[in-house]
Amino acid sequence: MTEKASLAGGCFWCLEAAYKELDGVQSVTSGYAGGHVENPTYEAVCSGDTGHAEVVQLEYDPDVVGYDKLLQVFFTIHDPTTLNRQGPDVGTQYRSAIYYHNDEQKDIAEAYIEGLESEGAFDDPIVTEVEPLDTFYEAEGYHQDYYENNPNDAYCTMNAQPKIRKVREKFAEKAKQ
């Protein structure tokens, strides 16, 4: 049995590479969600006019890795306190968002954020949106497996590799062997 999770936390290349490290994550697809234009292109999303965020959609086995663990990784590999920004990437397309697929995911996400806030996990308030997934649009082919295909790309070296290292260090028990 597989389930889906859709998460936005900056550039989808970086999230995709990090989540591919986890055992139980069967596939990671880069794409767009949360906007108001049908079939958006990367160029249109980058303009900020479509309302979409760069998103990764995970297919995972909940018996191997739970939704709560996916959220734990999510809040470890991006900054949920910066509005419309992750590292060098600025714009609404880089916002922090959880697009839930069902009420259970919504409840888990809201409770997880509430827990982080109550324990003071971050110095600033969490701005992560929790919204229902309306439509997921798969990104263009050249965005899929970007890090795998371009491991020496300067952007990937500076931004994706630190996220991968965090997953390998902090979630070693869930890392693929």
Side-chain angles (χ1 to χ4, degrees), residues 36-148:
H36 56 270
V37 173
E38 287 188 29
N39 301 309
T41 63
Y42 179 68
E43 290 74 22
V45 171
C46 285
S47 76
D49 294 335
T50 70
H52 290 88
E54 289 192 13
V55 174
V56 290
Q57 188 164 86
L58 316 173
E59 287 192 18
Y60 67 98
D61 180 344
D63 293 330
V64 178
V65 61
Y67 188 69
D68 58 334
K69 183 61 75 174
L70 298 176
L71 292 180
Q72 188 180 6
V73 171
F74 179 67
F75 284 101
T76 300
I77 62 173
H78 90 293
D79 182 350
T81 68
T82 55
L83 186 63
N84 302 327
R85 179 186 189 118
Q86 288 298 309
D89 301 319
V90 180
T92 58
Q93 67 271 29
Y94 301 114
R95 66 186 175 270
S96 176
I98 298 167
Y99 294 100
Y100 58 86
H101 290 249
N102 55 49
D103 289 339
E104 181 183 15
Q105 284 186 354
K106 177 186 179 193
D107 293 345
I108 292 169
E110 288 175 343
Y112 195 86
I113 291 170
E114 190 177 297
L116 290 172
E117 290 282 42
S118 69
E119 69 186 37
F122 297 97
D123 292 336
D124 296 311
I126 293 173
V127 297
T128 303
E129 299 173 0
V130 178
E131 301 288 335
L133 179 69
D134 181 24
T135 305
F136 173 80
Y137 296 100
E138 188 171 320
E140 295 81 352
Y142 67 94
H143 290 296
Q144 309 304 326
D145 307 312
Y146 192 85
Y147 177 77
E148 275 177 46

